[in-house]
Amino acid sequence: MAPHAEESVGTHTGHENVQHQQENERNMPKPGEYIQFDHLPAGGPLNRWSHFMTRDHDYPGAQASLFALYFSQNYRTEEPAMLYSAGVPNKDMMKNAPHVGIATVWWEGNPCKAVQKQNMLPWQFNTIGVSDGITMGSEGMRFSLQSREIIADSIETVTCAQRHDANISIPGCDKNMPGVIMAAARHNRPFVMIYGGTMRRGHSQLLDKPINISTCYEAVGSYRYGVLKASCKKQSGAEATASEVMDDIEEHACPGVGACGGMYTANTMATAIEAMGLCLPGSSSFPAESPQKRSECERAAEAIRICMEKDIRPRDLITRRSFMNALKLTMVLGGSTNAVLHFLAMANSADVDLTLEDIHRVSEATPFLADLAPSGKHYMEDLCNVGGTPAVLKYLIAVGLIDGGIPTVTGKTLAENVSSWPSLDPGQTIIRDITKPIKKSGHLRILYGNFAPGGAVAKITGLEGDFFTGRARVFNKEHELNSALSAGLIKDEEEGQVLIVRYEGPKGGPGMPEQLQASAAIMGAGLKKIALVTDGRYSGASHGFIVGHVVPEAAVGGPIALVEDGDLITIDAVKNSIDIIEASGIKGAAGIAAELERRRRGWKPPKMKPVRGVLAKYARLVGDASHGAVTDAGGPAW
């Protein structure tokens, strides 16, 4: 049957291992939604799924393969003959030890040996990862968002096919974290996430300041517009050229391993997932190369055993309460617009009711407190030095903003997890007091209007102002805007401009690519009277007056497809609206609606490209951004 779906509510009601469950019924996958697997009841042996593969001699080929495979992974020697004679240490381990999948979205450290010390069998397997930093601005970026679905699909596939009893996933970048959470919600077997960790900040000698990956993209704008200048002379005493400053930035922006160091999408998702109780305390703020990260890997093995012994499942932790924590922390820290997309997708996989309206309500009621990049000056490494995510959560629990009563992978509540951690350093300047916010409400705004009837997501920290009105300048693909910026053709104009990039949504892209190259270039060039709007999305490193995730997207005939150069667009982050207020000289709601309908009659949907391969498959399956851009929204397959 579907994972855990056949177990009736009565099977576990009152069981000591599920006292943390607040609801009368546990949230389980609906029968028929997934491939059905027999498994042993909770409270007994931990090899609940693998038992049916390793018991007796029902699957001798599988057991023979396991002996050889386990040996080849964990007991390599220079003697080939040893591969044939050894493997899983003994028959007792084969029959009784639980199998724990180690799903690495590649990172050098892994907790396999720690799992072995817990007398369990670790099976390391990998899934894919796409680097947004490498693909940004290129056709490769179209593959980024859909990699989230592949990650979820592949972990679900291996965990279920190999009958693993639990899973430890080690993601390290933007889409990878929601991908492993979506997989966990599907297979619903004991699960712990280890965040790969954040990168250290870089330093530019010629600019004499800390830098990171987004500095590269903003510097390109400065370089193209002739305003990139060194703050210091070269060691020789000579003046540095703009090209030499670019070289210095490129060489020093990323000084080591780890995810991008600001409150970009990776750190946004990591901190949110820690607030949901799905990883160990501190996971989201320990730098990738820190001793704490290595120690976390050791402790994860203990945590996964606790989850198995207490039957703590992903869907016990992925709840509406935990999503509220994730949303509040994202607003407090100034997190990425991508979080909206990923939270909706995670909720879809776990059958949790979460909508854009919920995100809007949380944003309205949650202050923005963090001076973190991209809008601020600090990095995750700095936050770690003043107490890290646990200290922030401890403070927010104390002031009543975060729910400390939710269960976690440690078997304790979130409040219990952080109670022994040091409080935020009293002299720190990264997290403001809740009574002195940067902005009284959240920076992520859900906008509606005749431009985006199905919703759009804006990132407005308050530094850009709350209102913008300007004339539309339309680009049918991201590369058109990038080319105009590279040629210096985008300039500040008195009336203001709304630069619209369309046909870059989930279907139209396909793949809903991030557009950091354009947003960063505009910031670097010092252009002030510009707003960016797209049916695609922005990087967590993007800032400025930006609006993405416009629904309906252009490829399906949304109003964004009908806008023309010169139309007047207004964006109001107080009323949470985005509207066309003048089209072809016509004003008034009725007149504009009639003009858009006239344009619609002449509009023809573009031919989908590509028509084969993974992106074409994705375009055919994917839903809209206001529902998470998922490919498995539910319903019959035929």
Side-chain angles (χ1 to χ4, degrees):
M1 299 185 70
H4 219 61
E6 79 286 14
E7 297 181 15
S8 66
V9 176
T11 303
H12 295 292
T13 300
H15 193 285
E16 62 181 4
N17 289 338
V18 292
Q19 288 181 348
H20 60 269
Q21 189 68 29
Q22 301 295 314
E23 297 78 13
N24 292 327
E25 295 183 5
R26 295 181 77 177
N27 179 4
M28 303 299 174
K30 298 180 179 64
E33 284 193 344
Y34 299 95
I35 296 295
Q36 301 170 4
F37 292 92
D38 294 329
H39 59 276
L40 299 174
L46 299 182
N47 59 330
R48 296 172 60 191
W49 283 267
S50 61
H51 164 80
F52 292 88
M53 179 175 62
T54 60
R55 66 179 180 181
D56 302 326
H57 302 292
D58 292 348
Y59 299 95
Q63 294 182 40
S65 297
L66 286 171
F67 274 121
L69 179 61
Y70 185 77
F71 178 81
S72 68
Q73 284 188 353
N74 297 284
Y75 294 91
R76 293 188 185 276
T77 72
E78 294 183 357
E79 175 52 64
M82 293 292 289
L83 295 174
Y84 297 98
S85 61
V88 173
N90 52 59
K91 183 177 180 180
D92 181 67
M93 289 285 283
M94 171 64 77
K95 300 296 183 183
N96 300 311
H99 295 226
V100 180
I102 312 295
T104 347
V105 186
W106 287 116
W107 181 66
E108 282 301 314
N110 66 69
C112 291
K113 298 299 182 183
V115 169
Q116 283 179 292
K117 291 178 182 178
Q118 293 290 325
N119 206 33
M120 298 185 287
L121 298 173
W123 298 109
Q124 184 177 2
F125 64 93
N126 73 289
T127 181
I128 67 166
V130 170
S131 168
D132 290 355
I134 293 173
T135 62
M136 191 67 65
S138 74
E139 291 297 299
M141 175 48 72
R142 303 190 187 286
F143 290 86
S144 174
L145 182 59
Q146 59 91 38
S147 72
R148 183 189 70 185
E149 313 303 302
I150 297 174
I151 289 166
D153 292 350
S154 57
I155 295 176
E156 177 194 4
T157 296
V158 175
T159 301
C160 293
Q162 304 299 117
R163 292 179 180 265
H164 290 164
D165 301 296
N167 176 266
I168 299 172
S169 286
I170 313 174
C173 196
D174 307 16
K175 305 79 43 194
N176 306 351
M177 279 172 281
V180 305
I181 301 301
M182 290 161 67
R186 295 179 191 177
H187 62 64
N188 202 35
R189 300 179 191 185
F191 165 83
V192 172
M193 189 190 91
I194 303 172
Y195 177 39
T198 188
M199 184 186 296
R200 292 181 292 112
R201 61 186 177 189
H203 185 83
S204 166
Q205 292 182 340
L206 294 179
L207 294 179
D208 191 29
K209 69 176 185 178
I211 60 173
N212 68 100
I213 185 66
S214 74
T215 312
C216 299
Y217 297 104
E218 292 185 14
V220 167
S222 302
Y223 182 71
R224 300 291 186 198
Y225 279 74
V227 295
L228 181 62
K229 300 183 185 301
S231 300
C232 303
K233 293 182 179 180
K234 297 191 295 184
Q235 288 183 340
S236 65
E239 297 289 341
T241 66
S243 180
E244 288 172 328
V245 175
M246 284 299 306
D247 289 340
D248 180 45
I249 292 169
E250 292 165 357
E251 291 172 11
H252 299 107
C254 300
V257 300
C260 301
M263 190 46 60
Y264 310 148
T265 308
N267 285 327
T268 297
M269 296 310 302
T271 52
I273 288 166
E274 184 168 334
M276 295 177 75
L278 291 160
C279 59
L280 292 174
S283 180
S284 64
S285 48
F286 294 146
E289 297 179 289
S290 67
Q292 296 99 318
K293 183 57 66 177
R294 182 170 293 276
S295 174
E296 179 191 348
C297 291
E298 296 287 336
R299 292 183 291 115
E302 301 172 11
I304 199 67
R305 174 171 280 279
I306 289 171
C307 289
M308 297 167 79
E309 290 174 343
K310 293 190 174 185
D311 193 31
I312 300 171
R313 307 284 194 89
R315 288 187 177 220
D316 297 330
L317 308 181
I318 307 171
T319 64
R320 188 169 174 83
R321 287 174 66 193
S322 66
F323 272 118
M324 292 301 105
N325 275 358
L327 286 167
K328 290 175 183 177
L329 187 60
T330 297
M331 302 305 170
V332 164
L333 297 179
S336 169
T337 53
N338 283 318
V340 174
L341 203 67
H342 296 322
F343 291 149
L344 293 170
M346 290 157 55
N348 172 75
S349 291
D351 293 321
V352 173
D353 183 21
L354 188 73
T355 67
L356 285 180
E357 285 67 34
D358 293 317
I359 297 167
H360 164 72
R361 283 192 292 270
V362 172
S363 182
E364 286 289 320
T366 308
F368 171 36
L369 303 179
D371 183 18
L372 289 166
S375 61
K377 62 183 180 182
H378 296 289
Y379 299 92
M380 182 57 83
E381 178 185 8
D382 302 318
L383 184 62
C384 184
N385 291 337
V386 298
T389 306
V392 177
L393 289 171
K394 185 176 182 179
Y395 171 66
L396 296 177
I397 290 170
V399 298
L401 194 59
I402 290 289
D403 180 356
I406 65 166
T408 74
V409 294
T410 66
K412 301 176 182 178
T413 66
L414 187 66
E416 289 171 334
N417 283 348
V418 302
S419 62
S420 60
W421 281 71
S423 298
L424 280 170
D425 185 331
Q428 61 84 29
T429 59
I430 302 172
I431 305 296
R432 289 196 183 185
D433 186 277
I434 197 168
T435 63
K436 300 175 182 178
I438 297 170
K439 188 171 181 283
K440 291 183 179 180
S441 59
H443 64 298
L444 298 183
R445 316 303 294 176
I446 308 301
L447 310 181
Y448 292 95
N450 64 10
F451 187 91
V457 180
K459 187 177 187 180
I460 312 290
T461 63
L463 301 177
E464 314 84 357
D466 291 320
F467 309 92
F468 192 95
T469 298
R471 295 288 174 182
R473 187 167 175 182
V474 179
F475 301 88
N476 283 332
K477 281 289 183 181
E478 178 192 7
H479 68 82
E480 293 184 6
L481 175 56
N482 290 341
S483 295
L485 285 165
S486 295
L489 299 178
I490 306 297
K491 302 181 185 299
D492 275 332
E493 296 183 1
E494 188 63 32
E495 194 172 12
Q497 296 179 87
V498 178
L499 306 182
I500 297 171
V501 178
R502 61 190 181 191
Y503 297 107
E504 294 289 19
K507 290 182 178 293
M512 205 178 179
E514 291 183 350
Q515 295 171 35
L516 172 61
Q517 186 169 352
S519 63
I522 288 168
M523 295 298 294
L527 302 175
K528 304 295 185 183
K529 297 181 179 180
I530 286 176
L532 282 171
V533 178
T534 183
D535 53 5
R537 60 195 180 106
Y538 292 103
S539 165
S542 296
H543 58 125
F545 215 109
I546 57 175
V547 180
H549 309 198
V550 171
V551 175
E553 62 173 291
V556 299
I560 190 173
L562 310 177
V563 175
E564 296 178 355
D565 286 350
D567 288 349
L568 193 60
I569 312 293
T570 187
I571 304 164
D572 187 331
V574 176
K575 294 181 179 178
N576 299 304
S577 62
I578 179 167
D579 288 290
I580 305 166
I581 59 173
E582 181 184 314
S584 301
I586 299 170
K587 299 180 180 180
I592 291 170
E595 172 61 14
L596 293 180
E597 184 55 37
R598 182 193 68 77
R599 294 178 186 179
R600 183 180 302 283
R601 290 193 293 270
W603 177 81
K604 293 182 179 179
K607 183 178 180 181
M608 188 181 84
K609 295 179 181 180
V611 295
R612 297 286 301 274
V614 67
L615 289 179
K617 180 167 64 175
Y618 179 78
R620 293 184 183 103
L621 293 174
V622 71
D624 67 51
S626 291
H627 295 87
V630 299
T631 58
D632 68 333
W638 61 84

